[in-house]
Amino acid sequence: MPDPATPSETATPVTPPGARHRLVDVPGGRIHLVEQGSGPLVLLVHGFPESWYSWRHQLPALAAAGYRAVAVDVRGYGRSSKPPAVEEYRMLAHVADNVGVVQALGEKTATIVGHDWGSNIAADSALLRPDMFTAAALLGVPYAPRGGPRPTEAFARIGGDEEFYVSYFQTPGRAEAEIESDVRGWLAGFYAGLSGDTMPAPDEPSLYFVPPAGRLRDRFPAGPLPAWLSEAELDHYAGEFERTGPTGALNRYRNVDRDWADLAAWHGTPLTQPSLFIGGALDASLAWMADAVKNFPTTLPGLVASHILEGCGHWVQQERPDEVNTLLTEWLDALPAR
């Protein structure tokens, strides 16, 4: 469809020079994306609580390396569709969105790259549609096939008297109340709490757990922004969530049991395409999912390389853009031609 972005949107200073905004129709609604470059398609999928903007450093680097880099706003974020029902944020819907984007762009195949929840979405897109997603790069969150007990039951057993953040996010309206009271401040604290240079010390209470009658933000660090995040960049993120609200983003967490049921046929299934993993050494995801990393020889038999960046937290492609760009382009360049 024609690009419907307004002049103010296409001229926004946060857009990398040479990139353009588009809205494309997919079966589930519309997806907003930012694209740059020409060549083999590389689809970039963000996590929580971010947007296409988390790939602002990768778009020009991948374009310069000869790729068509496309960063989407996942449904519920930014200018993409925000369906009202919780179940419309199940994993199968996100996979369908990615398939629809590739088709809307006139392509038949793509390499998919994801961070945080986007890592899970990228992995499941490649798992369910290996004909279309011929390689996958996973950032921050390692691949773990469907398995184990029902996710909400497992999360409920974590933390003792305190509540694991994924459990805290399950009830509609609960996390929204604390976020919407101060969107910019909440985002600043969440980004800082998971960033390598500003996260709490290991001996401090974990911000991933909510004390009884408390809020998630009660343990956010008080201090400066992470080095990778300027005031203007925070303003952009806050502006997106001020406009859209956080419910669509939080609804991804509210589908973990539904995903577990939907993907029963893929229980324990490895991801066999060529793959790449990049994580931050200080990211708690690697500690919680150490077994998933250990099992890569079985679960990711096509793994080309796994890189753990020392001193880096959760926001790998923003905390270490140059390193991630180099690792991504070297991996992409070595993939079989498609």
Side-chain angles (χ1 to χ4, degrees):
M1 63 182 288
D3 182 356
T6 64
S8 62
E9 288 171 346
T10 57
T12 176
V14 301
T15 305
R20 68 173 184 135
H21 292 255
R22 291 181 62 186
L23 290 176
V24 299
D25 289 325
V26 297
R30 70 179 185 279
I31 293 293
H32 168 252
L33 58 85
V34 179
E35 67 173 317
Q36 187 168 1
S38 60
L41 177 61
V42 180
L43 189 64
L44 305 166
V45 186
H46 68 81
F48 175 89
E50 301 174 275
S51 75
W52 74 266
Y53 190 55
S54 69
W55 302 105
R56 61 194 178 280
H57 304 297
Q58 284 67 53
L59 286 166
L62 294 177
Y67 297 94
R68 184 184 187 185
V70 173
V72 299
D73 274 336
V74 171
R75 65 166 56 197
Y77 287 82
R79 299 176 180 89
S80 292
S81 291
K82 299 160 194 66
V86 172
E87 62 268 22
E88 293 184 272
Y89 295 84
R90 67 203 316 154
M91 183 60 73
L92 294 182
H94 290 291
V95 172
D97 285 346
N98 289 338
V99 170
V101 167
V102 173
Q103 294 172 336
L105 294 174
E107 303 283 359
K108 293 183 178 180
T109 62
T111 295
I112 191 163
V113 181
H115 169 254
D116 183 78
W117 262 122
S119 176
N120 296 101
I121 295 171
D124 285 332
S125 296
L127 184 68
L128 272 61
R129 288 297 306 268
D131 58 314
M132 177 173 285
F133 300 104
T134 56
L138 312 177
L139 277 60
V141 176
Y143 176 62
R146 188 266 192 200
R150 186 175 297 275
T152 55
E153 294 174 0
F155 295 142
R157 294 196 290 266
I158 300 174
D161 293 336
E162 298 191 332
E163 189 174 18
F164 190 48
Y165 80 103
V166 179
S167 299
Y168 179 73
F169 285 168
Q170 292 302 306
T171 304
R174 189 179 179 198
E176 283 92 331
E178 73 163 86
I179 296 171
E180 290 173 347
S181 66
D182 177 15
V183 171
R184 192 179 192 276
W186 195 93
L187 290 173
F190 194 79
Y191 295 149
L194 277 64
S195 183
D197 60 337
T198 51
M199 64 175 53
D203 58 348
E204 295 181 20
S206 172
L207 60 79
Y208 293 98
F209 294 91
V210 181
R215 304 170 302 169
L216 191 68
R217 70 180 304 154
D218 292 340
R219 289 177 174 169
F220 288 173
L225 294 179
W228 58 268
L229 183 67
S230 70
E231 296 285 350
E233 289 168 331
L234 177 59
D235 285 342
H236 175 73
Y237 279 126
E240 294 287 271
F241 283 97
E242 290 280 8
R243 185 177 66 253
T244 66
T247 297
L250 289 164
N251 280 344
R252 174 83 289 276
Y253 291 92
R254 295 165 185 159
N255 277 277
V256 290
D257 284 350
R258 194 169 282 110
D259 298 339
W260 182 78
D262 286 343
L263 297 174
W266 288 270
H267 185 94
T269 304
L271 187 64
T272 59
Q273 295 96 311
S275 58
L276 172 73
F277 179 72
I278 306 173
L282 301 180
D283 189 344
S285 298
L286 294 190
W288 298 332
M289 302 185 72
D291 287 344
V293 175
K294 207 175 295 183
N295 290 334
F296 277 171
T298 299
T299 61
L300 288 177
L303 185 68
V304 174
S306 177
H307 303 275
I308 307 301
L309 307 185
E310 293 300 322
C312 183
H314 182 64
W315 317 105
V316 284
Q317 77 269 31
Q318 298 180 87
E319 292 187 50
R320 301 289 179 80
D322 292 341
E323 289 175 72
V324 169
N325 291 346
T326 297
L327 294 173
L328 277 177
T329 53
E330 289 179 348
W331 174 72
L332 287 164
D333 290 345
L335 291 174
R338 62 174 194 262

